[in-house]
Amino acid sequence: MTPRDLRMIPVAVATWVAALAAVLRPEWAPGVAALLWGSSAAALAAVAILEIRHRRRKRRPELVGPSPGRFALLLPLLAVACAAAGIASAHVAIVHSERAAVAAVLDGRVTDLAVTVTTKVEPSTGGVRFDGTATTPDGSARISVLLRTDDPPDGLDLGSIVSVSGVGEPADPGDAAVAVVFADGLNVRAPPQHAFAVTSQLRRGFVELVRRGLPDPGAGLLPGLSVGETSGVSDELDADMKASSLSHLTAVSGSNCSLVGAIAFGICAACGAGRRTRVVVSLVALAGFVVLVTPEASVIRAGAMSTIALLALLTGRRGAGVAVLSLASTVLVAADPWLATSYGFLL
């Protein structure tokens, strides 16, 4: 690892800190964004001034002036860090009013709320739980839905559009979801379409195949180990895994994404494909795998890291683990500042 590989760490840390402050105190977000972008502009102006002075000294050696020093070399990094952190803060500031309006609408009885499912549907206390994008007359925002049933309706999966009725309450500050809806009724308006339909069938077919071929508890555990599908994990098995600190085994993360990308890359290499073809096929396989296992925080982070590593390979650059992790974290937190509060993303 070289000092160059560590340059992105301050950028990632600054972006994460700014995003965390903005989502916990969204009323601060506009001021924080303005301050950060002003700092970035000042750093860039200082870089430009120092560059002009440096060129003048090169043209006229008789001019004597102080050396720029080590601080001048850090100014571009400071400008990038402040700009990335400002983007995260500005993102929160832009959507805050709409999120607050949706949270106010969902505070109380909810009837026929249109929700697009954006996460896996997984077992929870007293039923099943999923996150989705709720559409109201005042806007759209992410919510969590807890459906009180042990038998979820057919077609309820990632990408489906459902109609939810129940009681809503605002979520805690910093949560990606603006509200939690305790649903006592749910109708599937439209099942998953296109790629989501294919991956839903693959996921459900794999679970059914494993359950027919293996005895419990392995039949419920294997889908979780391979594709993060925990619907077959019983409450007893879940409790045992938590007690033995093994619950992370059913969370898809970097190793799964790396294996998928490496297998696709290796198959293309065995077929004699060029580097560009290998990278493209690996990226397509990686994207399909992310949709298959559902895009949770840990999966998104791992997928982004694998994507950056593959692109670095395509351009002939060396991608160090710390640099790849820092760049992936910066891009993802700037795009979705609420990832800063996600334990799955941080771990």
Side-chain angles (χ1 to χ4, degrees):
M1 186 182 302
T2 64
R4 178 176 295 182
D5 298 329
L6 304 178
R7 288 181 181 178
M8 280 300 299
I9 293 180
V11 179
V13 172
T15 307
W16 181 82
V17 171
L20 185 63
V23 299
L24 292 177
R25 298 299 298 267
E27 65 274 12
W28 293 358
V32 172
L35 176 63
L36 289 168
W37 279 346
S39 301
S40 179
L44 290 176
V47 171
I49 293 172
L50 291 173
E51 180 64 20
I52 292 173
R53 290 180 177 179
H54 176 67
R55 290 182 180 180
R56 286 179 178 176
R57 280 197 296 268
K58 288 182 65 176
R59 290 196 301 265
R60 300 178 61 185
E62 68 275 11
L63 293 177
V64 179
S67 174
R70 184 175 298 179
F71 178 71
L73 302 178
L74 298 178
L75 286 175
L77 183 61
L78 176 63
V80 173
C82 290
I87 291 173
S89 299
H91 186 162
V92 177
I94 291 171
V95 302
H96 173 57
S97 59
E98 183 176 359
R99 285 171 54 87
V102 174
V105 170
L106 300 183
D107 188 5
R109 184 67 191 177
V110 176
T111 304
D112 292 333
L113 176 67
V115 179
T116 301
V117 182
T118 57
T119 65
K120 70 170 64 174
V121 180
E122 55 186 352
S124 182
T125 304
V128 295
R129 189 185 187 98
F130 62 89
D131 285 3
T133 301
T135 302
T136 71
D138 293 319
S140 300
R142 181 173 177 174
I143 67 168
S144 292
V145 178
L146 177 60
L147 177 61
R148 299 186 180 96
T149 180
D150 294 329
D151 186 21
D154 293 336
L156 178 60
D157 207 338
L158 174 66
S160 61
I161 301 175
V162 300
S163 177
V164 176
S165 298
V167 178
E169 62 180 39
D172 295 330
D175 283 356
V178 301
V180 178
V181 176
F182 299 90
D184 48 34
L186 184 146
N187 295 317
V188 178
R189 294 184 180 180
Q193 302 294 320
H194 310 300
F196 294 115
V198 174
T199 54
S200 177
Q201 292 177 359
L202 288 174
R203 193 185 312 112
R204 294 178 182 274
F206 176 68
V207 172
E208 292 176 0
L209 180 64
V210 170
R211 286 179 176 175
R212 289 198 303 265
L214 289 177
D216 286 327
L221 186 59
L222 182 58
L225 295 172
S226 54
V227 296
E229 177 59 54
T230 58
S231 59
V233 177
S234 63
D235 293 339
E236 293 78 12
L237 178 59
D238 181 61
D240 291 341
M241 293 182 67
K242 290 179 178 177
S244 57
S245 299
L246 294 176
S247 58
H248 64 281
L249 294 178
T250 56
V252 176
S253 59
S255 58
N256 303 75
C257 292
S258 298
L259 283 173
V260 170
I263 291 172
F265 195 91
I267 292 175
C268 291
C271 295
R275 182 169 62 180
R276 181 175 300 178
T277 302
R278 300 178 197 178
V279 171
V280 171
V281 172
S282 298
L283 288 174
V284 172
L286 183 62
F289 181 71
V290 170
V291 176
L292 175 65
V293 302
T294 67
E296 295 181 317
S298 60
V299 179
I300 294 173
R301 185 204 63 233
M305 290 181 62
S306 299
T307 299
I308 293 172
L310 286 170
L311 293 177
L313 179 62
L314 180 62
T315 58
R317 297 177 179 270
R318 183 180 61 87
V322 174
V324 171
L325 174 61
S326 299
L327 180 57
S329 299
T330 301
V331 173
L332 292 175
V333 172
D336 184 0
W338 289 269
L339 287 173
T341 62
S342 170
Y343 290 111
F345 182 80
L346 294 175
L347 297 176

